[in-house]
Amino acid sequence: MSTLVAVLSITGALCLGAMSPGPSFVLVARTSVGVSRRDGMATALGMGVGGVVFSGLALAGLYTVLAMVSWLYAALKMGGGLYLLYLASKIWRGARKPLAFDQGGPAQKANTKPAFWVGLATQLSNPKTAIVYGSVFVSLLPRHPPTWCYVALPAIVFTIEAGWYTVVALCFSSQRSRGIYLQAKAWIDRLSAGVIAALGLRLMLTAGKTGL
């Protein structure tokens, strides 16, 4: 298999992985519909940067350390699970808080930095992603890939992660989506919090397992 074909295969595999449901999807969707389109896109940007971090770790071979040093991998998963539980509790507590909308969307400050950092932290909360990237890279790339792969793959990962979640943000920030959200905000927020909490608990309960 040529290196170009391998990179294209990796791109396809990562596209499917990015589209699978998870806390990132829930967070971007809820932020876009409940806060603003700009905040949703900032969260998507954070997801993309988190993907670059994990792909860089995978290319550096550090994913092998996570797979071999069980206590470190378990500690990172526990930490990630605790963060997701904290995020879920924050969403749950704010479920009944009303939102004020104007013609341009939710009345929120223009500062989208908090949304970016929450997106980045949520993406980095699951160290299993680094293992997945590493496994895909090892399975499809040649033993000694050319230098351009070390530049191209993180860029591809960023494009996939940020691009997909930007699409999610645009879809869920429509006026129709916001109208539905306003009608059932408390229930939607609690459902979102429940999903994120369940994924956090799952991460913690599997902390002792290094397999995929």
Side-chain angles (χ1 to χ4, degrees):
M1 180 185 294
S2 69
T3 303
L4 180 58
V5 172
V7 170
L8 291 176
S9 300
I10 289 172
T11 301
L14 295 183
C15 281
L16 294 175
M19 294 179 185
S20 61
S24 299
F25 180 91
V26 175
L27 180 65
V28 173
R30 183 195 171 277
T31 301
S32 302
V33 72
V35 184
S36 73
R37 176 173 293 178
R38 289 184 62 186
D39 284 271
M41 294 178 71
T43 306
L45 182 62
M47 301 294 179
V49 174
V52 171
V53 171
F54 276 140
S55 64
L57 290 175
L59 286 170
L62 296 181
Y63 76 96
T64 305
V65 176
L66 292 180
M68 294 180 64
V69 184
S70 58
W71 67 266
L72 176 60
Y73 186 45
L76 290 174
K77 291 182 77 173
M78 288 293 292
L82 287 172
Y83 170 76
L84 291 180
L85 289 178
Y86 161 76
L87 184 62
S89 68
K90 187 176 180 181
I91 294 174
W92 183 280
R93 290 197 305 270
R96 287 196 172 276
K97 292 182 180 179
L99 291 177
F101 281 78
D102 57 22
Q103 292 181 352
Q108 298 288 337
K109 295 182 180 179
N111 183 17
T112 57
K113 288 182 180 179
F116 168 83
W117 289 113
V118 170
L120 176 61
T122 302
Q123 182 77 308
L124 296 179
S125 67
N126 188 0
K128 181 179 177 180
T129 306
I131 304 293
V132 172
Y133 282 167
S135 299
V136 172
F137 292 167
V138 167
S139 299
L140 297 175
L141 283 176
R143 185 175 181 84
H144 299 290
T147 304
W148 64 266
C149 286
Y150 292 88
V151 177
L153 285 173
I156 289 171
V157 168
F158 176 82
T159 301
I160 291 171
E161 295 283 352
W164 164 245
Y165 290 116
T166 295
V167 171
V168 173
L170 292 174
C171 291
F172 280 88
S173 60
S174 68
Q175 290 298 325
R176 182 179 180 183
S177 297
R178 288 174 181 166
I180 295 172
Y181 176 73
L182 281 177
Q183 292 176 7
K185 178 183 182 298
W187 291 105
I188 292 174
D189 280 5
R190 287 171 178 170
L191 177 62
S192 300
V195 171
I196 293 175
L199 292 169
L201 287 172
R202 181 177 182 274
L203 200 60
M204 296 173 69
L205 291 173
T206 60
K209 301 177 182 179
T210 57
L212 299 178

